[in-house]
Amino acid sequence: MPNPAILTVDDDPAVSRAVSRDLRRRYGDRYRVVRADSGDNALEALREIKLRGEQVAVLLADYRMPHMNGIQFLESAMDLFPLARRVLLTAYADTDAAIDAINLVDVDHYLLKPWNPPEEKLYPVVDSMLDAWRASPEPPASEVRVVGHRWSAPSFAVRDFLARNLVPYRWLLADEPEGGRLLAAAGLTADDVPLVLTSDGKTLAAPNEADLAVHVGLTTTPSLEFYDLVVVGAGPAGLGAAVYGASEGLRTVLVEQRATGGQAGQSSRIENYLGFPDGVSGAQLTDRARRQALRFGAELLTTREAIGLESGGTSRLLRFGDGTSIAAHAVVLATGVSYRMLDAPGLDELTGRGVFYGSASTEAPSCFEQDVYIVGGANSAGQAAVHFARYASRVHMLIRGADLRHSMSSYLIQQIEAIGNITVWPHSEVAEAHGDEHLERLTVRDPRSGETRDVDTSWLFIFIGAEPRTGWLDDAVLRDRLGFVLTGPDLLCEGKRPPGWTLPRDPYHLESSMPGVFAAGDVRAASVKRVASAVGEGAMAVSLIHRYLEAQ
Ligand SMILES: Cc1cc2nc3c(=O)[nH]c(=O)nc-3n(C[C@H](O)[C@H](O)[C@H](O)COP(=O)(O)OP(=O)(O)OC[C@H]3O[C@@H](n4cnc5c(N)ncnc54)[C@H](O)[C@@H]3O)c2cc1C
């Protein structure tokens, strides 16, 4: 592995040369000094470093740069290297902006230019940044490579799976020279993609998610046969329950069907979660929560879909599709909700090939300078519009109603109004999607008049609400008419406990009709569909589980 990098970005060639010369002189034997002349180029360099699985220790960015200023650069860089220490280089006149930056992107230090003599002004700052980084460095990651077709649903599924599980990978097109060389070396053809090459040199042709998970280092099998607590679903509620359960000494296992983070993991920026005044991306929040759960000793199993729940005396049994099962004293159901599908001709065939459900943030850079369409008027659609507006030439939001006021938070409406390249189209719905290899055109209809118009686009992102993921529970626990899990007081009918309930007490607040089985987050009937409430319910379920276990 090469030495960790110190990256410096400045659009002024003389300053750029001087800073990298000074850095090399003092740190060149232990660190690689990487120099870039724009935010875009610096991000590009960071992505490459990330894909190669190498480390970045410190980022030094000039504040005043055209197109992307230093703060914007550091904000994007954080997504790639959250643990790298961040220094903003400013002129005296920009001190206020620098102070704002400390709040916005958690800048560790701002350094006034010029920094001469470096021994006095530059090195002490960089020394302390390096000390801090060495105390919690990002471990070097080995590289996974994916070879696939640009417009292929299975290739997208593999990339999305890796991205949502925070597995760094390199994406290579099958029809480009390097992709072709790798396919040939593996003895495969372009028909066999997606091809995944793992860091230890294994080749997986069109792997399913379970195989992929195993080979990229995700855990899929439990280490114990019996736990105190099994949590089903690793969205905010499940991660919350796992952090609190494990930190309070419960042997805890978290079981996730696809990827940690749940819906929140797909959010480009969560702005209303306590403690993040300037927002946090779903990926960052997920990464922190996952590391926290693991640090407390929770086990996290990926690609394990629960398909049944049974009660046997005081233990609860969770069954999986492959015939295996896990038993525990208590269960938290945190399976959240899944996207509702939009029903219009052509959409099913083009899903994953230009039509996406949810934000599919892996695709955002591919939308560069193109027209993007978003269906939906709720917060998730609004966040996606704001996110895609950074890349697309124009983002079009199709909403059935007259405006966004009844469906979206006012802070997001204000953001959308302030962004010049977002257009909201009221009274509009998708009537049909057209395209052969990928989406090429949409027919948009006014539901009042039935009038239609065609628009050219390769990108459609759909956010039209969700339904609970509870079909697998059958009659194991009581659910409301929409399928959400009933808990606590909602289970009492005219003061009577639910049928089959034998305990001499009412169900606890988040407890379902099966004693010892609790529900938290979006899957629970009448829950508030928010990250904070999901996390809070996950934590609260654990305290109720303690009460349940004490009474056993
Ligand atoms: C794009 C987007 C943006 C959002 N932005 C915000 C925001 O800014 N602020 C805010 O407060 N809220 C926001 N929300 C809502 C918020 O994300 C949800 O309220 C929250 O994620 C609910 O958490 P949860 O853990 O209950 O469920 P989910 O996040 O839905 O997680 C459930 C998890 O369970 C897994 N699972 C399901 N079935 C099974 C099974 N049978 N076996 C194993 N695992 C299973 C799923 O794969 C999933 O990972 C947003 C939602 C979306 C989609």
Side-chain angles (χ1 to χ4, degrees):
M1 233 355 122
N3 286 334
I6 297 176
L7 181 135
T8 145
V9 48
D10 199 314
D11 64 311
D12 180 333
V15 177
S16 174
R17 260 196 311 277
V19 74
S20 52
R21 181 201 59 218
D22 287 344
L23 289 170
R24 269 196 197 104
R25 205 171 59 212
R26 180 157 171 123
Y27 306 106
D29 57 336
R30 289 156 293 149
Y31 294 88
R32 223 157 30 98
V33 176
V34 179
R35 190 173 121 199
D37 57 5
S38 70
D40 280 330
N41 288 345
L43 283 178
E44 190 52 41
L46 285 181
R47 280 189 208 103
E48 281 177 21
I49 295 173
K50 185 83 186 169
L51 291 172
R52 289 198 301 267
E54 298 164 8
Q55 298 165 295
V56 174
V58 177
L59 302 160
L60 293 104
D62 184 41
Y63 171 61
R64 273 180 195 258
M65 292 188 292
H67 308 304
M68 185 189 294
N69 69 32
I71 298 176
Q72 291 164 330
F73 160 72
L74 289 172
E75 194 183 8
S76 302
M78 258 170 85
D79 282 335
L80 293 165
F81 289 99
L83 300 180
R85 298 291 145 169
R86 297 174 279 276
V87 180
L88 192 69
L89 302 177
T90 57
Y92 185 73
D94 297 320
T95 310
D96 284 350
I99 291 168
D100 286 346
I102 289 175
N103 288 326
L104 189 66
V105 291
D106 216 358
V107 164
D108 297 292
H109 205 97
Y110 68 93
L111 194 65
L112 288 180
K113 293 194 285 190
W115 55 86
N116 283 327
E119 282 70 17
E120 258 178 58
K121 295 192 175 152
L122 177 68
Y123 297 153
V125 171
V126 179
D127 281 347
S128 74
M129 296 291 106
L130 289 171
D131 284 345
W133 178 77
R134 275 195 300 268
S136 58
E138 203 161 13
S142 22
E143 185 189 51
V144 172
R145 282 162 293 171
V146 181
V147 184
H149 292 304
R150 175 76 203 82
W151 297 109
S152 142
S155 297
F156 167 72
V158 162
R159 289 162 59 212
D160 190 49
F161 177 82
L162 293 173
R164 288 187 52 197
N165 278 295
L166 310 169
V167 177
Y169 67 91
R170 185 162 171 211
W171 167 235
L172 299 141
L173 289 173
D175 51 11
E176 283 185 351
E178 180 64 6
R181 277 195 288 272
L182 290 170
L183 279 172
L188 300 171
T189 70
D191 294 337
D192 302 312
V193 299
L195 164 68
V196 179
L197 296 109
T198 64
S199 49
D200 53 3
K202 287 212 172 52
T203 57
L204 309 168
N208 61 34
E209 288 184 350
D211 279 347
L212 190 55
V214 172
H215 285 99
V216 297
L218 300 171
T219 308
T220 58
T221 47
S223 67
L224 305 176
E225 280 176 11
F226 197 92
Y227 291 82
D228 296 317
L229 170 61
V230 52
V231 182
V232 195
L239 285 162
V243 166
Y244 284 88
S247 68
E248 291 168 17
L250 299 178
R251 287 169 302 164
T252 302
V253 63
L254 179 57
V255 174
E256 167 56 45
Q257 174 190 327
R258 191 147 198 269
T260 36
Q263 301 164 71
Q266 296 181 51
S267 171
S268 45
R269 181 157 289 267
I270 298 163
E271 304 214 33
N272 55 358
Y273 189 57
L274 189 73
F276 292 89
D278 301 296
V280 58
S281 75
Q284 279 179 28
L285 191 64
T286 300
D287 178 44
R288 288 169 191 223
R290 191 170 75 165
R291 284 192 281 127
Q292 204 172 6
L294 293 172
R295 188 165 68 81
F296 283 123
E299 270 180 47
L300 170 51
L301 310 184
T302 315
T303 65
R304 297 311 298 264
E305 181 179 5
I307 61 152
L309 175 66
E310 287 160 25
S311 165
T314 57
S315 72
R316 305 286 170 261
L317 193 76
L318 193 72
R319 286 193 292 104
F320 298 115
D322 62 359
T324 60
S325 55
I326 302 186
H329 288 303
V331 174
V332 172
L333 300 172
T335 50
V337 297
S338 60
Y339 295 114
R340 207 166 275 144
M341 308 296 271
L342 186 61
D343 186 18
L347 288 176
D348 280 357
E349 296 79 355
L350 293 166
T351 297
R353 296 190 287 132
V355 174
F356 301 91
Y357 286 85
S359 68
S361 46
T362 36
E363 295 303 299
S366 309
C367 302
F368 188 65
E369 291 190 345
Q370 298 182 48
D371 275 24
V372 167
Y373 281 75
I374 289 180
V375 175
N379 281 7
S380 49
Q383 283 177 10
V386 171
H387 181 62
F388 281 103
R390 293 189 201 149
Y391 301 88
S393 61
R394 180 151 295 278
V395 175
H396 305 263
M397 296 187 74
L398 304 180
I399 58 167
R400 281 215 174 110
D403 57 45
L404 295 169
R405 271 178 306 162
H406 298 295
S407 52
M408 194 178 286
S409 300
S410 53
Y411 79 88
L412 261 180
I413 297 179
Q414 282 166 17
Q415 282 183 23
I416 286 171
E417 283 169 354
I419 297 174
N421 65 337
I422 302 181
T423 309
V424 179
W425 296 94
H427 305 296
S428 300
E429 62 186 13
V430 172
E432 193 167 352
H434 314 267
D436 294 325
E437 198 193 352
H438 62 88
L439 177 69
E440 288 164 15
R441 196 160 37 89
L442 290 174
T443 303
V444 179
R445 181 169 52 212
D446 181 334
R448 297 168 305 175
S449 61
E451 254 174 55
T452 60
R453 64 190 168 96
D454 276 12
V455 293
D456 290 335
T457 185
S458 299
W459 304 101
L460 175 67
F461 298 89
I462 302 168
F463 301 81
I464 52 162
E467 43 206 31
R469 298 171 121 177
T470 53
W472 62 280
L473 286 165
D474 281 333
D475 296 331
V477 297
L478 286 178
R479 294 179 284 152
D480 70 6
R481 67 185 169 78
L482 297 173
F484 291 92
V485 177
L486 289 164
T487 55
D490 292 342
L491 286 164
L492 303 180
C493 188
E494 294 173 357
K496 288 209 182 94
R497 292 170 186 155
W501 183 269
T502 53
L503 299 180
R505 61 163 175 84
D506 289 349
Y508 293 134
H509 190 63
L510 301 178
E511 197 171 22
S512 72
S513 58
M514 187 187 286
V517 174
F518 294 76
D522 283 12
V523 77
R524 198 175 67 77
S527 62
V528 182
K529 307 288 184 276
R530 292 283 183 277
V531 176
S533 49
V535 171
E537 288 189 6
M540 185 176 163
V542 170
S543 86
L544 296 169
I545 285 167
H546 283 302
R547 215 191 282 176
Y548 167 80
L549 293 175
E550 277 159 21
Q552 286 299 298

